[in-house]
Amino acid sequence: MDDKAIGAKVRGLLPGQKLFNRYTLTRLLGRGETGVVWLARDGHEDRDAALKFLPEVIATDRSALVGMRRKARHAIDLAHPNIARIHDFLSDGQLAAFSVEFLAGKPLAAVRAGEPTKVISPDKLGPWIIQICGALDYAHNKVQVVHRDIKPVNLLLDTDNNVKVSDFGIAATLSDEDAWIFKEGSSTSALSYMSPQQLNGEPPAVTDDIYSLGVTLYEL
């Protein structure tokens, strides 16, 4: 992501730094469409977590944070074996982040890249498709939450070789507060998975996830 795009990269974070009176940063995991992701140790629960930091323009906007915290409750309520848990939404006036279940396994994008044919065989992909659809069905019908960012890098394998959908509800929550982030800050690769309705700025809908899942499965 371009450094100039919406100021999404959170600067000044260092390994060993303690944040939110609870998390100690371990190492940088990567950069997403809306900010940076760090591995951190949760001192309260004695577990690792992935901290997904939000753009500074949101982290310092009190009204945006109030709305995001309210909407984030739905994502935190998600409890399904094939959905990566969102533990908490954190803010301290300067920084804001989602604390998410840390998964050490590969995303399906990396699995595909590692295949000799550069595609995942139907026999191998089939069980994962069932798990992904089960997660979507649960979120859409039981909790009424849409993902809005289904793509191969957000489908992660756990230690038992099962798929977990990551970032569930985060993209929808962010787009509700600041839809322009995804229009101005999203990469071309991310846009290719979005439904036409999502690109036009229409409200989040189940059909957005169905469209993105179709694109994702075709690519895999």
Side-chain angles (χ1 to χ4, degrees):
M1 192 177 202
D2 191 324
D3 281 353
K4 296 180 181 179
I6 69 171
K9 293 182 181 178
V10 181
R11 299 170 178 83
L13 301 179
L14 297 170
Q17 187 175 357
K18 188 171 184 178
L19 300 175
F20 309 114
N21 296 315
R22 176 172 179 172
Y23 294 90
T24 301
L25 299 182
T26 304
R27 59 184 172 90
L28 180 67
L29 292 175
R31 293 175 173 83
E33 291 300 321
T34 59
V36 296
V37 184
W38 278 77
L39 175 64
R41 190 68 182 175
D42 182 348
H44 289 186
E45 298 293 338
D46 193 27
R47 66 187 174 193
D48 288 331
L51 292 186
K52 296 178 178 289
F53 288 90
L54 304 187
E56 294 172 355
V57 67
I58 293 181
T60 56
D61 186 330
R62 185 174 299 178
S63 61
L65 289 176
V66 169
M68 287 197 64
R69 187 178 296 278
R70 183 179 66 253
K71 295 182 177 72
R73 294 193 189 111
H74 295 291
I76 293 171
D77 287 341
L78 289 166
H80 187 277
N82 299 111
I83 294 178
R85 290 299 305 266
I86 298 177
H87 301 307
D88 202 359
F89 177 68
L90 312 157
S91 64
D92 62 5
Q94 297 298 318
L95 297 171
F98 285 93
S99 171
V100 182
E101 176 184 359
F102 172 65
L103 298 170
K106 293 181 180 179
L108 293 191
V111 175
R112 171 186 176 274
E115 294 290 308
T117 58
K118 302 304 178 185
V119 293
I120 302 175
S121 70
D123 289 344
K124 188 174 183 178
L125 186 59
W128 293 335
I129 293 175
I130 293 173
Q131 294 175 354
I132 296 165
C133 289
L136 290 175
D137 179 64
Y138 163 80
H140 293 162
N141 295 305
K142 298 294 185 182
V143 190
Q144 285 77 52
V145 173
V146 295
H147 192 289
R148 294 209 105 195
D149 198 22
I150 295 290
K151 54 189 176 185
V153 296
N154 281 337
L155 305 174
L156 306 176
L157 295 179
D158 64 14
T159 54
D160 295 320
N161 207 41
N162 293 314
V163 169
K164 290 203 174 190
V165 183
S166 67
D167 288 2
F168 221 119
I170 293 179
T173 299
L174 280 169
S175 62
D176 282 350
E177 293 303 319
D178 289 272
W180 56 271
I181 287 177
F182 291 92
K183 294 178 180 178
E184 300 297 331
S186 295
S187 67
T188 302
S189 61
L191 294 175
S192 66
Y193 300 97
M194 293 183 182
S195 70
Q197 294 83 1
Q198 186 175 351
L199 289 171
N200 286 335
E202 295 183 18
V206 167
T207 48
D208 297 328
D209 287 351
I210 295 173
Y211 181 96
S212 299
L213 178 61
V215 177
T216 294
L217 297 183
Y218 178 80
E219 178 180 321
L220 293 174

